[in-house]
Each structure stands twice: as structure tokens, then as C-alpha cells.
Amino acid sequence: MHRTRSLLSFLVLLAAGLNGRAVAAETTIALDDFSYTDTSAEPVDQSAAHERRLQAFMVALRRDIAADPRYRLAPSVQEGAAFKVIGGIQKTSTLVQWAKVAVIDVGARKVVMDKLYTFRGDNDESWERAEVFVSREVIAALAQP
């Protein structure tokens, strides 16, 4: 009985210690809304659809980063963010869009990721696939020492 209590006490202390370290290891990220530019010269005005897709992209990107327990989103760098994520998307033709994304280590004043992605299509599904890929890349860059 005493051994069981000791083991239980040890596990509770271990869990509390791990939980404390997880909170202490949390990195704060500032994530600005990405810009959007359409240079495709298509005759139909798609600005409302693009704005809606860009907003959904940003909501999903914030959700994906915040879902990782290592990171916490901050409203701005002034709120103590260790990293800043910036980017923009450009539609160059009916089928091709570019996403430029950078991750900046604020304290070191250093760009730790600067990538240009291309994605095909201009519908909800293509934007969702692009966001999933970009979020994985950003999280991988944040995890680098």
C-alpha cells in the first residue's frame, strides 16, 4: 500500500514537472495576415472570393500553429513574440498562384525561413491544400534550433 502511494505521488510530481516544462518551453509567435494580389488579368472580378479564401487560409494557419503545444500566438511582436510569420499570395494566371512565406527570429533579427510555394487552382480545395502544406512548413521551420 505504501509503495502504491509512493508510486502515485511520484507520477503526480512527474506529471506536474512535465506540465511545467511544457508551459515554460512554449514559444510565442506573431502571425500577420498575408497580403493578396491578383495579376492574372482575368475578366471576371473574383476579389470577394479571394478575400473569403484568404481569410479562411489565415484562420486555418493560426489554428494549425496554435494546435501545436509548443507554440502560442501573440497579437504582435510587441506582445513578446519570439518569431514573426509574414507572407503573401499572388495569383499569376487562371491556374497558378504563389505563396511567399517568411519566418523571422525576432530576438536574433534573422530570417529562419523564406520560401516561395506554387499551388494550382483557384478554388476552396486548392487553397485548403496550400494552407495545410504551408502550415507544416512553418511549424517545421519554427522547430529548428
Side-chain angles (χ1 to χ4, degrees):
M1 180 75 151
H2 178 67
R3 187 176 281 193
T4 304
R5 282 188 190 165
S6 295
L7 180 59
L8 182 58
S9 296
F10 172 74
L11 291 174
V12 168
L13 288 173
L14 179 64
L18 290 175
N19 190 26
R21 272 188 292 223
V23 172
E26 191 175 73
T27 301
T28 306
I29 314 298
L31 176 58
D32 287 353
D33 283 339
F34 288 9
S35 62
Y36 186 81
T37 305
D38 184 348
T39 58
S40 66
E42 292 180 313
V44 177
D45 180 7
Q46 300 175 54
S47 55
H50 291 149
E51 180 62 29
R52 179 182 52 78
R53 289 183 182 124
L54 180 60
Q55 286 177 359
F57 184 99
M58 295 310 302
V59 165
L61 185 58
R62 286 185 173 95
R63 178 200 63 223
D64 291 348
I65 293 172
D68 189 313
R70 297 173 293 180
Y71 308 115
R72 181 177 64 81
L73 293 178
S76 69
V77 171
Q78 288 78 19
E79 299 293 325
F83 291 91
K84 182 172 181 89
V85 179
I86 59 173
I89 299 174
Q90 179 180 0
K91 182 173 180 177
T92 58
S93 71
T94 301
L95 294 177
V96 178
Q97 298 193 76
W98 300 89
K100 177 76 167 165
V101 182
V103 176
I104 302 162
D105 181 329
V106 176
R109 300 182 118 187
K110 176 182 170 187
V111 175
V112 295
M113 183 189 99
D114 184 11
K115 292 191 176 181
L116 181 64
Y117 305 96
T118 182
F119 64 100
R120 302 290 186 253
D122 189 13
N123 57 38
D124 292 347
E125 183 181 356
S126 63
W127 278 73
E128 288 167 13
R129 283 193 316 266
E131 183 281 323
V132 168
F133 188 81
V134 167
S135 68
R136 288 181 190 155
E137 294 275 303
V138 168
I139 290 169
L142 291 168
Q144 296 299 314

